[in-house]
Amino acid sequence: MPSLSDNNRLSVFSGSANIPLAQEVARYLGMDIGPMVRKRFADGELYVQIQESIRGCDVYLIQPCCNPVNDHFMELLIMIDACRRASARQITAVIPYYGYARADRKTAGRESITAKLVANLITEAGAQRVLAMDLHSAQIQGYFDIPFDHVYGSPVLLDYFATKDLSDLVIVSPDVGGVARARAFAKKLNDAPLAIIDKRRQSHNVAEVMNVIGDVKGKTAVLVDDMIDTAGTITEGAKLLREEGARQVYACATHAVFSGPAISRLSSGVLEEVIVTNTIPVPEAHRFKQLTVLSVANLLGEAIWRIHEDTSVSSMFR
């Protein structure tokens, strides 16, 4: 557990999106979540009031932008504004899951780049720093003109795989866009070989798997992605890997978005295990036998401590 040299100047608050994660982070820092009132008016508008003085404090607001995305994102903006008006010295938006990240560039005419819009709104609300985990695309950091710390859930996932003592591993990227992520993961697992699934996406949340680039026959395949949404990509990829002769297939991702048919697909038996983290809360209704949820609270807590103490965050991942 870190020792804060300036503990009375640090405050941690949580939005309603993932209070258990925020409580774990606060425990790692040896403190409690700050008191806050949140409620709704009759027409659905959100109201937030900080219940203690934060004048001159470094404030960290923990809020993933998960379902319902619009409510949670708006709540984050209101929290930021409340802290700015309460004379906080520095406001850091801690966003374990950055919503609206998939539209990070224009791929057709007359589209919005929502990842950039979200960045503008967070900055305009008054945040002076952002801490986020496993962005859908790394260039989102460049959409901000304020300091941005990007941390990774991979150390937690890698530690878990190290305890499983799996043999003949091959790390698989579910699409070409995730090759860099899968390669970095493979390097940390004793330079395990890499395979890539060639995929053609016909529309949003609809994926058609084509073929596997690389050798998976007789191996234990680990599919690595940043998020699992409807689980179409992961499960179709797992089926293809089995057809190509993979002995076992695991899937791991940082963000358990789990939309629509995801649970029925993931629990269908095509995967030995699905490993995710708690950046997004996984309710009991979304739990199934093959699911393992790991905590990233210590990672986020360590990053907050290092930011507060003006020490290196990137050295956590060397």
Side-chain angles (χ1 to χ4, degrees), residues 83-301:
C83 292
R84 179 173 62 87
R85 296 177 188 279
S87 301
R89 189 180 75 86
Q90 178 171 274
I91 303 165
T92 300
V94 181
I95 311 174
Y97 172 66
Y98 187 99
Y100 285 106
R102 281 171 281 194
D104 56 5
R105 64 195 183 283
K106 285 187 71 173
T107 58
R110 300 170 297 284
E111 281 187 335
S112 171
I113 304 176
T114 54
K116 172 59 175 169
L117 174 62
V118 165
N120 289 345
L121 291 169
I122 290 170
T123 304
E124 286 300 314
Q128 291 142 305
R129 180 182 288 272
V130 173
L131 169 62
M133 178 169 279
D134 276 327
L135 293 169
H136 188 61
S137 52
Q139 69 261 26
I140 291 172
Q141 297 170 80
Y143 298 168
F144 288 85
D145 292 323
I146 57 177
F148 192 109
D149 290 291
H150 187 203
V151 296
Y152 306 93
S154 55
V156 172
L157 299 169
L158 288 163
D159 286 348
Y160 179 76
F161 275 106
T163 67
K164 293 189 74 66
D165 194 28
L166 299 173
S167 60
D168 293 324
L169 277 178
V170 57
I171 307 305
V172 184
S173 173
D175 52 34
V176 175
V179 170
R181 182 184 302 109
R183 184 184 293 119
F185 201 86
K187 187 175 181 181
K188 295 284 179 64
L189 281 174
N190 300 318
D191 275 327
L194 183 69
I196 303 164
I197 293 177
D198 178 34
K199 179 187 73 176
R200 300 291 186 271
R201 187 176 291 280
Q202 296 174 321
S203 62
H204 295 301
N205 297 129
V206 178
E208 180 184 348
V209 174
M210 302 298 289
N211 54 64
V212 177
I213 303 168
D215 179 25
V216 298
K217 189 171 184 179
K219 296 178 183 287
T220 298
V222 179
L223 282 155
V224 178
D225 211 345
D226 64 316
M227 70 170 75
I228 300 175
D229 188 359
T230 61
T233 296
I234 288 288
T235 52
E236 289 303 312
K239 290 174 187 175
L240 182 63
L241 291 169
R242 288 192 180 278
E243 289 170 10
E244 293 291 321
R247 190 174 73 251
Q248 293 179 308
V249 184
Y250 291 78
C252 68
T254 303
H255 308 301
V257 180
F258 290 175
S259 304
I263 305 306
S264 61
R265 287 172 172 174
L266 293 170
S267 60
S268 64
V270 72
L271 292 157
E272 260 72 32
E273 191 174 2
V274 179
I275 303 104
V276 297
T277 77
N278 63 342
T279 56
I280 295 172
V282 182
E284 281 302 318
H286 286 179
R287 304 265 176 162
F288 51 95
K289 185 177 67 175
Q290 298 93 334
L291 182 67
T292 299
V293 182
L294 307 174
S295 178
V296 293
N298 289 2
L299 263 176
L300 289 171

